Amino acid sequence: MQNHPYADLESTRVWVVLEKALGDLIENNDLRLTTAPEYVIGYICKQMREADLITESGFESITE
């Protein structure tokens, strides 16, 4: 994947949940993105973190 300003968030729990949710909405034709998904997901993650809506455990990296 190409570098973007939110790359450090890609392996977090929040990212994974948002990526799945957006993917479902796109697949069901409920949403159409005109911006690369990683920018949309990253921005939402950043806003949620700054608003303290999710505990830091949500931003921990998921290990395989």
Side-chain angles (χ1 to χ4, degrees):
M1 186 175 291
Q2 197 173 25
N3 278 347
H4 55 84
Y6 308 108
D8 61 319
L9 296 171
E10 282 187 5
S11 63
T12 64
R13 296 171 192 270
V14 174
W15 184 286
V16 171
V17 170
L18 287 174
E19 184 175 48
K20 168 92 171 77
L22 282 176
D24 290 347
L25 290 169
I26 292 167
E27 185 178 320
N28 292 333
N29 293 316
D30 293 323
L31 178 71
R32 184 176 55 174
L33 290 182
T34 58
T35 301
E38 58 269 16
Y39 284 88
V40 175
I41 296 166
Y43 182 77
I44 294 170
C45 285
K46 178 180 170 269
Q47 293 299 307
M48 292 173 79
R49 176 180 258 171
E50 289 176 0
D52 291 326
L53 293 177
I54 297 177
T55 64
E56 280 305 308
S57 67
F59 291 101
E60 291 175 357
S61 184
I62 297 174
T63 56
E64 294 182 26

